[in-house]
């Protein structure tokens, strides 16, 4: 309901209005000062009485609001031979059908004669946070009889994305927002042989670790016993050190003692022994993602069964 000026004056006593006009000069000066609304949110601590307060701490809130408005971009590349569960693990990681094969199934798809680079993007939103997820698949890698130089198309693709982003950055008339197509992380799937890395695994990670963040994982780890899994993980860590392969998180990224402590724990767990599944089951009244077998259900997010939860925390949380 709109209130007119005449109605306001009719609802006030004239003597009160006259007394308000005859304010002292000092009071008038105070009232003449412009009133600035409190920029802080409701319930936040005020700093009006703190003479030394500048307001630098508000920068973090400004950055958070800007990031929430723009959203985030995450580009993940998955590399490994066919049949290791790359698509399933991506679906498990984001609890939705985000892999290329899930969205664009091809029943007649055959192993390509050469390595192909295929990507598919999704817009994901959770609790007001928006993210553009791009999953980059590499069908054909490691599936040929002769896999010599099979990493070259992948390395070229990664370097091309860096070059395209750099060109956009150095343009005089730069775009307000540059689309980020750079590969942020490469998940490399190691077959669960239980013995050692193949020459192809060593050569790929040795070359690609210089241009991208590599996170090695042991695929389908439920095919190994706990003893076999621990031995395999230890063997892989020794081979990585022997071949000078730096996987993510690299030691040069440790900014302080706290970072070093956290990253050392991650490095001790690499490679992650993971199990992927997008099938839901009821276990003790709870809905879980897992793989059902004759002797029980393997719970994907149970750290006693596999290390999927650690991989998820590293990549997302």
């Amino acid at each position: 309901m709109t209130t007119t000026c005449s109605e306001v004056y009719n609802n006030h006593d004239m003597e009160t209005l006259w007394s308000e006009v005859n304010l002292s000069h000092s009071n008038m000066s105070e009232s003449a000062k412009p009133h600035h609304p409190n920029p802080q949110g409701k319930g936040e601590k005020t700093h009006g009485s703190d003479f030394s307060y500048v307001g630098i701490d508000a920068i973090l809130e400004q950055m958070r609001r800007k990031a929430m408005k723009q959203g985030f971009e995450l580009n993940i590349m998955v590399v490994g031979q066919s049949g290791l569960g790359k698509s399933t693990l991506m679906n498990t990681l984001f609890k939705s059908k985000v892999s290329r094969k899930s969205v664009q199934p091809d029943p007649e798809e055959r192993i390509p004669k050469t390595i192909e680079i295929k990507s598919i993007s999704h817009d994901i939103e959770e609790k007001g946070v928006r993210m553009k997820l791009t999953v980059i698949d590499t069908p054909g890698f490691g599936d040929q009889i002769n896999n010599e130089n099979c990493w070259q198309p992948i390395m070229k693709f990664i370097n091309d994305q860096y070059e395209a982003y750099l060109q956009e950055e150095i343009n005089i008339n730069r775009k307000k927002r540059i689309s980020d197509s750079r590969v942020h992380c490469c998940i490399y799937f190691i077959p669960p042989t239980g013995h050692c890395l193949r020459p192809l695994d060593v050569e790929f990670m040795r070359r690609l670790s210089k241009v991208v963040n590599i996170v090695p994982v042991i695929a389908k780890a439920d095919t190994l016993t706990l003893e076999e899994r621990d031995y395999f993980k230890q063997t892989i860590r020794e081979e990585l050190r022997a071949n000078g392969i730096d996987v993510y998180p690299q030691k040069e990224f440790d900014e302080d003692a706290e970072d070093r402590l956290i990253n050392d724990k991650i490095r001790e767990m690499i490679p992650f022994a993971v199990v992927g599944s997008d099938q839901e089951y009821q276990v003790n009244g709870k809905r879980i993602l897992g793989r059902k077998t004759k002797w029980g259900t393997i719970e994907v997010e149970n750290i006693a069964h596999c290390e999927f939860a650690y991989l998820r925390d590293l990549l997302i949380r």
Side-chain angles (χ1 to χ4, degrees), residues 197-225:
L197 292 174
R198 302 169 302 169
L200 173 61
D201 302 327
V202 173
E203 194 64 23
F204 176 87
M205 288 191 283
R206 187 177 66 83
R207 291 175 179 270
L208 269 293
S209 63
K210 295 178 174 62
V211 296
V212 71
N213 296 317
I214 289 185
V215 179
V217 299
I218 300 173
K220 297 187 174 181
D222 53 327
T223 60
L224 300 171
T225 65

Side-chain angles (χ1 to χ4, degrees), residues 52-76:
S52 62
Y53 177 70
V54 177
I56 297 175
D57 58 346
I59 295 176
L60 290 176
E61 178 61 22
Q62 295 174 22
M63 294 173 63
R64 189 192 71 83
R65 287 200 303 266
K66 185 177 180 180
M68 291 284 286
K69 185 183 298 183
Q70 292 182 345
F72 302 91
E73 291 179 310
L74 178 61
N75 306 323
I76 297 180

Side-chain angles (χ1 to χ4, degrees), residues 256-275:
D256 50 35
E258 183 180 359
D259 273 358
R260 190 178 305 111
L261 183 64
I262 295 172
N263 291 338
D264 280 344
K265 291 181 179 179
I266 297 172
R267 285 188 278 262
E268 289 172 2
M269 287 187 288
I270 286 177
F272 298 102
V274 298
V275 177

Side-chain angles (χ1 to χ4, degrees), residues 63-205:
M63 294 173 63
R64 189 192 71 83
R65 287 200 303 266
K66 185 177 180 180
M68 291 284 286
K69 185 183 298 183
Q70 292 182 345
F72 302 91
E73 291 179 310
L74 178 61
N75 306 323
I76 297 180
M77 174 179 278
V78 289
V79 180
Q81 67 185 58
S82 301
L84 291 180
K86 301 186 296 293
S87 299
T88 302
L89 186 68
M90 286 296 99
N91 294 342
T92 309
L93 196 60
F94 295 96
K95 295 187 176 180
S96 56
K97 304 289 186 181
V98 298
S99 65
R100 179 183 58 85
K101 287 187 177 181
S102 299
V103 179
Q104 300 171 343
D106 186 359
E108 297 182 358
E109 184 175 17
R110 298 179 180 179
I111 297 175
K113 294 182 180 180
T114 57
I115 295 175
E116 300 175 359
I117 309 293
K118 296 184 177 181
S119 63
I120 187 164
S121 298
H122 305 267
D123 291 320
I124 301 175
E125 184 169 345
E126 183 181 54
K127 295 183 178 179
V129 179
R130 293 181 294 108
M131 183 178 72
K132 181 183 179 183
L133 171 68
T134 301
V135 178
I136 305 156
D137 198 0
T138 55
F141 176 84
D143 294 329
Q144 311 301 324
I145 296 176
N146 182 7
N147 290 304
E148 186 179 3
N149 297 329
C150 64
W151 54 80
Q152 288 183 352
I154 299 174
M155 180 175 283
K156 182 180 184 303
F157 175 83
I158 293 173
N159 287 327
D160 286 347
Q161 306 315 305
Y162 287 138
E163 182 65 25
Y165 190 86
L166 178 62
Q167 288 299 322
E168 290 290 346
E169 280 278 0
I170 63 178
N171 280 342
I172 297 176
N173 298 320
R174 194 170 65 172
K175 296 177 182 177
K176 185 177 181 180
R177 183 175 183 185
I178 301 172
S179 179
D180 190 358
S181 61
R182 297 170 297 178
V183 179
H184 301 136
C185 174
C186 174
I187 303 178
Y188 186 74
F189 288 70
I190 301 170
T193 61
H195 302 297
C196 61
L197 292 174
R198 302 169 302 169
L200 173 61
D201 302 327
V202 173
E203 194 64 23
F204 176 87
M205 288 191 283

